[in-house]
Amino acid sequence: MRSDISVRAATQREVPEVVSMFLEVLRLIPYYNELAKHDEAAKYTASNLRTRLRDDAYSVTVAEDDSGLIGFAFTRFDDYVIWIEWFGVDPASRRRGVGSAIIQGLIRTAPTRKAHKIWCDTRITNEPAKATFRKNGFRQIAKLKNHWYGQDFILWERPV
Ligand SMILES: CC(C)(COP(=O)(O)OP(=O)(O)OC[C@H]1O[C@@H](n2cnc3c(N)ncnc32)[C@H](O)[C@@H]1OP(=O)(O)O)[C@@H](O)C(=O)NCCC(=O)NCCS
């Protein structure tokens, strides 16, 4: 991982900034239909993320450098596996290894969370996310046609 990027659990105070970054990433993302964008925006509110953080300190993860917060991940511990719900990098900080740093940070904390595997989905057309997962040792499990929000997805997994 690049030494100028740190990945750690978010604090309660950072939640509003994380929500803003998430909403901006969601607004710009070209892979999701309007229904997905609308419902996902409604799901990850400050109140929701604060509750998640109280239940699981690792559920909201942030990446930062000297300039401040530059990336985030929302994850869920579920029967000893971790599901990555979302991860994203501030558009101005992309292609600098931040996405990989976030995934590696999640992998590092998996034993503390007693998880033996991390899994996630991507849209079939999301090449940056697919490349980031591949580069960090994830393998494609399956393709799901006409799935969440009526869209096509790939499922990925990585033992940890
Ligand atoms: C996916 C995302 C988090 C990647 O973040 P990032 O910081 O740019 O990723 P990295 O710089 O760590 O790149 C990791 C690898 O992915 C690949 N990659 C990343 N962006 C790419 C792009 N636009 N085109 C092609 N390959 C790309 C590269 O192979 C890179 O490996 P390299 O360092 O050897 O070149 C970022 O593009 C993003 O926030 N996208 C919008 C939100 C999103 O799609 N989230 C995933 C939902 S499942």
Side-chain angles (χ1 to χ4, degrees), residues 20 50 53 73 91 98 103 108 115 120 124 130:
S20 296
R50 285 200 179 98
L53 264 181
V98 181
I103 299 304
R108 271 198 310 279
C120 60
I124 278 178
K130 286 160 62 180

Side-chain angles (χ1 to χ4, degrees), residues 25 29 87-89 94-97 99-100 121 126 128 131-132 135:
V25 166
I29 203 165
F87 81 121
V89 172
R94 289 185 189 163
R95 301 303 303 265
R96 290 173 35 207
S100 276
D121 67 83
N126 190 344
T132 305
K135 192 180 168 188

Side-chain angles (χ1 to χ4, degrees), residues 53-87:
L53 264 181
R54 271 194 292 273
D55 293 344
D56 174 359
Y58 298 103
S59 60
V60 184
T61 300
V62 288
E64 71 177 340
D65 68 6
D66 290 347
S67 68
L69 298 188
I70 49 174
F72 66 90
F74 305 147
T75 63
R76 197 173 62 227
F77 176 86
D78 178 25
D79 294 347
Y80 303 93
V81 298
I82 292 169
W83 173 255
I84 303 175
E85 293 173 289
W86 268 98
F87 81 121

Side-chain angles (χ1 to χ4, degrees), residues 6-144:
S6 71
V7 175
R8 56 172 175 76
T11 64
Q12 291 281 353
R13 275 186 54 177
E14 288 168 332
V15 163
E17 191 178 344
V18 172
V19 172
S20 296
M21 196 178 359
F22 165 67
L23 290 176
E24 182 63 1
V25 166
L26 183 65
R27 187 179 70 80
L28 295 172
I29 203 165
Y31 314 107
Y32 291 89
N33 60 28
E34 284 312 309
L35 178 65
K37 288 193 180 204
H38 174 271
D39 285 18
E40 292 295 295
K43 206 187 285 182
Y44 299 99
T45 60
S47 152
N48 171 272
L49 293 188
R50 285 200 179 98
T51 304
R52 285 159 174 261
L53 264 181
R54 271 194 292 273
D55 293 344
D56 174 359
Y58 298 103
S59 60
V60 184
T61 300
V62 288
E64 71 177 340
D65 68 6
D66 290 347
S67 68
L69 298 188
I70 49 174
F72 66 90
F74 305 147
T75 63
R76 197 173 62 227
F77 176 86
D78 178 25
D79 294 347
Y80 303 93
V81 298
I82 292 169
W83 173 255
I84 303 175
E85 293 173 289
W86 268 98
F87 81 121
V89 172
D90 173 65
S93 300
R94 289 185 189 163
R95 301 303 303 265
R96 290 173 35 207
V98 181
S100 276
I102 293 170
I103 299 304
Q104 287 162 28
L106 295 176
I107 291 167
R108 271 198 310 279
T109 57
T112 312
R113 297 172 86 182
K114 299 194 183 343
H116 62 279
K117 185 192 279 190
I118 300 183
W119 70 315
C120 60
D121 67 83
T122 63
R123 286 298 322 284
I124 278 178
T125 48
N126 190 344
E127 297 303 332
K130 286 160 62 180
T132 305
F133 285 124
R134 253 191 231 106
K135 192 180 168 188
N136 288 286
F138 283 70
R139 85 173 178 92
Q140 187 175 317
I141 312 169
K143 279 191 180 160
L144 302 173

